[in-house]
Structure formats: C-alpha cells, structure tokens
Amino acid sequence: MSRKRPPGVAWRPRRSARNVAHALLTGVLRDGRSLGASARGRFDARLDPRERAFAQELVFGTLRHLPRLEAWLAHITPRPPEDAGLRALALLGLYQLAFTRVPSHAAVNTSVELARSIGKSWAAGFVNATLRRFATERDAIERMELAAPARLSHPSWLLAEFEHAWPDAWESIARANLERPPMTLRVGTDRIARQDYIGALSKRGIAARATRHSASGVILEAPCPVERLPGFDDGLVSVQDEAAQLAATLLDTPQDGRVLDACAAPGGKTGHMLELGADGLELVALDNAPRRIEDLRKTLSRLGFTARVALGDAGKPRGWWDGRPFDCILLDAPCSGTGVIRRRPDIKLLRRPGDIDVMVERQGAMLRALWPLLVRGGRLLYATCSVLPRENERVVESFLATRADAAPVRIDAAWGRPTGPGRQILPGDDAMDGFFYAALAKR
Amino acid sequence: MSRLDILHFPDSRLRRRCKPVGTVDDKVKRLIDDMFETMYEAPGIGLSAPQVNADARVVTIDVSKDRSAPLCLINPEILATDGEAETEEGCLSVPGVFELVKRPERVRVRALDRDGRSREIEAEGLLAVCIQHEMDHLDGQLFVDYLSRLKRERIRKKAEKAQRHA
C-alpha cells in the first residue's frame, strides 16, 4: 500500500543530487557542453539548496580532478567503458571515494543505484566491482606514479603553456586550480558598511571576514546558497571574487563621466562601478550575446541601477556607438579563463590549444577598436581572467607599440606582481582568482 | 539484500491466490528482507509477496513515518473485525491512483512472525487498513476491485497506456 503525497508535492519524485550531477557531467564529457550552458536551470529546479550544493560539489570536483580520476579508472579496468554515461558514473563514484567525506559504502551503493535508475542495470556489477576495488586498494592507487598531466589533472598542452609562461610557478598554478575556491561577496558599500554587513551575516550564523585588497569584499568561511545572504534579493550584496572587485577601483571612475563597460555581462563589474560612482555617472554596458544581455539586465535590476544596455560587438563600435566619447572604458576581454579554472573546471576540458591564438587576435582587435572612443586624458582598463602572458602583457605591449597617444599607468598595489605594463594575480594569491590588469592613459 | 521489481496492475500475476508458507526458512527470510527494502525504497507503507512476483502468503508493513515500526505477517488470518471506515488508499502496484475504500475499522489478525512464532495482533486506523489491503493481495484481490466498474476500467486504461510509454 502507498501513502498519498501531501498536497503541493509533485507526484514526480524529485531528482537526487547525484542524478543531476550525473546528467551534467555526461553532458560535458559526451557533448562538450560547457557547465554554464547545461547547468542553466538544472541546479535550481527540483533540488533544494542543500542538494543543489552537493550536486555542484560532485560535478565541479569530478571535473577538477578528471585526468587523475581517469588514470585511476584505466588502472583498475584495462578497458574503461566507452559509454559516456557509464564513464561519468564511474568517475563520479571515484571522486566521492577519493575526495569527499561520503562514506565508501555509501559512495558505492548510491553509484550502483544510480546505474539502475538511469537504465544501466547491466552495468551495476561493473560499477560495484570498480568502486570496491578502488576502496580496498585506495592507498596503493593514490600513491601510483603518474605523469604530470594526470598528476596535476590538466591537459598537457595547457601545462606546457603554464610552464613556458611561469617556469617557477607553473606547478603551483596547476595545484591552485584544483582547490575549491572561496565564496567571496561584494558588499554594496554605498548602502551598508562592510563591517555592518559582516555583522548581519554573523547574526545569521554565517562566518565571514573582510578581504585584504578589495575595500568592499567579504570572504565566507564556507559557501552558502545566495538565498541565505541577507539582502541578496534587494541587491545589497553580490557574489564576486576579490580579484574581479579590483577592476572598478583601478578604473578610477569619475563621479559624473561617461563610462563604457565593453564586455559587461553578467554585470558584476558593471554593478560595482555603479555602486562606487555618483548619480551623474552615465554608464553604457555592452555585450554581444542576447542571452548574456538578459543576465546583465537581471543583475542591474537586482541591484536597482539603470544603465544603458547595448547589444553589440566591442570590436565593431560602428554597430552600437552613438559617437559621444567615453571618459573611461573597461575592457574585460574574452579570454581563455585560465585564471578561473578552480571556478570553471570544465575549461580544462573544453579549451583547445588553437583557441588561445584566436583569443589573442580578438583581444588586440577590441583594444584597437575601442581606443578611439576614449577622450584625451581618459583611461582604459584592460582586464582578463587569464594567466597566459600571450593574452595579457603581450597584447597590451603590441598595442602600445603602435599607438603614440597611449601610455601605461603604473599600478601600485599590494596584490599580484608587475608583468610588463600591467599586474598579474595568479590563482590562489591571497585566495583570489587569477587576473591581469593593465591601465592605459590617453595623451 | 536487494530491491525487487514491483508488478503493476493489470498484470495477471497479481490475480493469483498465494500458497501458504510451510516453514519460515532462510529463503523466506531473505524474501522478507528484500520486501522491506523494496517497500521502503518505493516508498510504500505495505507490500505483499505477489506484488514482487513471489507465490507466498507474506506481507510487510510499516505505517510509521520514520521506518520505526516494521511488521511482517506470514500466513495471516483475520479472526474478527469491527466497525466501518472509509480511507483513501493507494497501491504500489497501481501508482498514482488514490481512491476511497470502505473497510472494517478494526481487525484482529493471527499470523506467524519472522521467527515462525504464531502471534495475534489487534489493529485499528491506518494499520488496520493496510493489513487488510495487503491480505487482499494474497487472494489476488486489489483495492481497485472495490471501486465502480467504470472507475476501474478508466484506471486500467490509464495504467496500460502508461506502461506502453514507459
């Protein structure tokens, strides 16, 4: 006999965190879908916040350590399954055994259950045997000598890029990319003092401390769903890494000038500039993808700001520029994302070696196209979340070599290290994401 | 322990009369364990052997919210009934259907327990309903048999359609 569900509860059973994690991981492994694209809606719908956090931890963690997990899987079974769904299942199980506090019997049993629930009952025995074998031989398997790509869980071409760029730091960059990043907030300091917000958090039992370099930043001791953050819906606070929070202060936004945010979505830095600027500030927020424009609008409306939002390509101002120059331009250029791999571990899987050259080309083109839009005496901030000099100081240097009216502005800061005309933060520096900033003044 | 597949209405195997259990041996005990696991996972509050395609007069029941009151009846017999009450019933073999069924309000039942000892139980409320519902299964009877023919036919058509699309 069965009991009727209380009213309001859907008849269809809620999907478990592991089910959702498996679907997402399969999407990345089989179809090369980016997590951002396939996670849309999946994490929110039909999962309560705790389950959602667990699903996220499973997918991100598995992707973070994927090459290593795959090496272990290959060691345990001479012929790892070709079926992407089954591979995802085995890898998720191995991740739970090796990197989480899920008890091993639970990791094994839930994986076998999962195999059944996705119609792969035929593979239940394989999943069971593989995971049990790892659980019993764990110490030996984990101590196995692995080549750098598997040991550091990065594709070899990317490690080669790191090593070439950072002969002394490449290994620590790769290791930092495997860490779980902190959840960092930006407090709307135009509405509440940072210290007061930390107090409001602690009243809710959320432990937090002030960031070292950003004057508006707060680092949570443990991640928590945004719904629990006081005033999140009212735009009192946003989620943003400390490194990204440095952009608005570096730009030295005038109180009432005209500012262009050239690749604005999802609007983190846009919102920050508006928080710091006065009412007279006129901001144009540009992005080239309609879907991302939607995110941008949502951010702005949550924060309660109005800005001119424009759809267009930063490299082709003719399509969207009204001819009036800007006092300030932020060019947060599209890049490899190699500085934020700890937040977007799918980058390691989805980027291809040839992508970087294409990025470099676009970055240079955007810089050249936007420069004429800047008033004399104005300032442009070039930013990326990359750790590759090719996308950073090299792009700025070759631009400077062709423009007599452009001069680098020295950034005096306690964070990062000077690299050419700019400053580089490596991932994990003071718990920050990897970022590059270069400020340019127009003579 | 393992989870068993639950047969769904209108499967004809749900219509068989089950044989009494001779001795409560290890095989029967394993069936009982598997039935509890299957019932809890479903999730359900009662399960009978024919629902998992086993020909034995065995039912498992737990009407508590926290799995704290497992009850297993082997070869159950109703000794006495009393009163009348209408309860909304559902069945793991007829998923998604809940209908009012009129039954005696209290029952006294004799059955063997998991250790093969004879016991008498008095039950009322949901437990009484559940015991009767599961005992019906042992004789090939389903709760939809208490409904009007029109309703039963509609449920059967819906179930057949759902199974074709599964």
Side-chain angles (χ1 to χ4, degrees), chain A residues 187-376:
Chain A
V187 178
T189 45
D190 54 329
R191 293 169 57 191
I192 184 171
R194 167 163 72 174
Q195 212 43 50
D196 294 343
Y197 192 78
I198 292 178
L201 284 172
S202 102
K203 256 186 225 139
R204 286 220 184 161
I206 302 171
R209 63 189 153 89
T211 51
R212 186 163 157 222
H213 303 293
S214 162
S216 339
V218 167
I219 297 184
L220 302 187
E221 296 299 332
C224 100
V226 290
E227 294 90 336
R228 283 192 57 210
L229 299 173
F232 180 81
D233 285 336
D234 307 325
L236 199 59
V237 67
S238 305
V239 178
Q240 188 179 42
D241 189 79
E242 185 181 4
Q245 294 181 28
L246 300 170
T249 44
L250 284 173
L251 204 52
D252 211 4
T253 328
Q255 287 297 294
D256 52 3
R258 237 169 92 77
V259 178
L260 171 68
D261 189 350
C263 304
K269 300 183 189 75
T270 323
H272 196 191
M273 286 192 279
L274 289 164
E275 281 164 8
L276 296 182
D279 290 345
L281 186 76
E282 189 193 338
L283 194 140
V284 177
L286 182 76
D287 208 276
N288 68 346
R291 205 191 40 158
R292 286 207 303 268
I293 288 273
E294 269 316 296
D295 295 343
L296 178 58
R297 281 189 208 279
K298 260 186 229 154
T299 305
L300 290 174
S301 90
R302 187 179 61 84
L303 295 174
F305 289 121
T306 45
R308 214 192 108 203
V309 174
L311 177 69
D313 184 342
K316 296 186 182 108
R318 244 187 302 171
W320 51 267
W321 187 41
D322 59 6
R324 289 154 62 214
F326 294 99
D327 300 294
C328 262
I329 296 177
L330 169 60
L331 172 54
D332 186 8
C335 70
S336 61
T338 42
V340 293
I341 285 176
R342 57 186 193 152
R343 292 193 192 278
R344 295 269 322 274
D346 52 333
I347 287 175
K348 292 187 290 191
L349 225 75
L350 304 177
R351 288 267 177 277
R352 296 281 167 250
D355 295 353
I356 312 290
D357 291 333
V358 179
M359 297 280 182
V360 169
E361 189 57 43
R362 255 172 93 199
Q363 290 150 356
M366 285 184 173
L367 197 46
R368 287 191 298 276
L370 292 175
W371 190 253
L373 277 54
L374 193 64
V375 295
R376 268 168 125 190

Side-chain angles (χ1 to χ4, degrees), chain B residues 1-165:
Chain B
M1 294 214 302
S2 57
R3 227 161 95 188
L4 307 168
D5 289 331
I6 296 176
L7 300 180
H8 285 160
F9 173 72
D11 194 309
S12 63
R13 288 170 289 182
L14 288 168
R15 293 305 189 178
R16 292 180 303 200
R17 225 186 118 83
C18 296
K19 286 200 272 296
V21 171
T23 48
V24 183
D25 54 18
D26 285 349
K27 215 177 122 197
V28 174
K29 284 181 181 166
R30 201 173 321 127
L31 172 67
I32 293 166
D33 292 346
D34 289 349
M35 281 174 61
F36 269 116
E37 186 179 348
T38 308
M39 177 184 89
Y40 284 134
E41 283 293 329
I45 56 174
L47 187 69
S48 65
Q51 285 177 282
V52 293
N53 199 21
D55 185 3
R57 299 187 80 81
V58 174
V59 307
T60 56
I61 289 171
D62 189 347
V63 296
S64 74
K65 289 212 168 73
D66 53 359
R67 306 182 175 189
S68 60
L71 175 68
C72 160
L73 306 176
I74 302 166
N75 301 340
E77 292 166 75
I78 289 186
L79 303 174
T81 66
D82 178 29
E84 191 178 76
E86 210 171 21
T87 315
E88 197 166 27
E89 293 188 24
C91 181
L92 293 175
S93 291
V94 196
V97 176
F98 295 90
E99 294 288 350
L100 286 172
V101 176
K102 222 180 270 179
R103 295 184 189 271
E105 201 180 355
R106 284 175 287 277
V107 289
R108 207 163 86 228
V109 176
R110 180 163 57 208
L112 301 179
D113 65 14
R114 196 178 178 281
D115 299 314
R117 287 181 303 235
S118 179
R119 285 176 48 181
E120 271 185 36
I121 298 164
E122 288 210 35
E124 58 176 21
L126 183 60
L127 180 59
V129 173
C130 191
I131 289 174
Q132 295 173 74
H133 174 116
E134 300 311 333
M135 284 182 62
D136 275 351
H137 276 298
L138 304 179
D139 294 315
Q141 178 104 339
L142 301 175
F143 86 104
V144 293
D145 300 342
Y146 294 92
L147 309 176
S148 72
R149 194 166 150 190
L150 182 73
K151 256 189 184 165
R152 187 165 56 245
E153 280 311 295
R154 221 169 34 217
I155 292 167
R156 186 178 60 80
K157 287 216 178 79
K158 215 174 100 190
E160 283 174 338
K161 197 169 157 199
Q163 281 158 35
R164 271 200 305 277
H165 291 284

Side-chain angles (χ1 to χ4, degrees), chain A residues 153-168:
Chain A
S153 279
H154 277 65
S156 56
W157 70 269
L158 191 53
L159 282 186
E161 287 269 0
F162 288 170
E163 191 173 1
H164 177 72
W166 305 97
D168 301 321

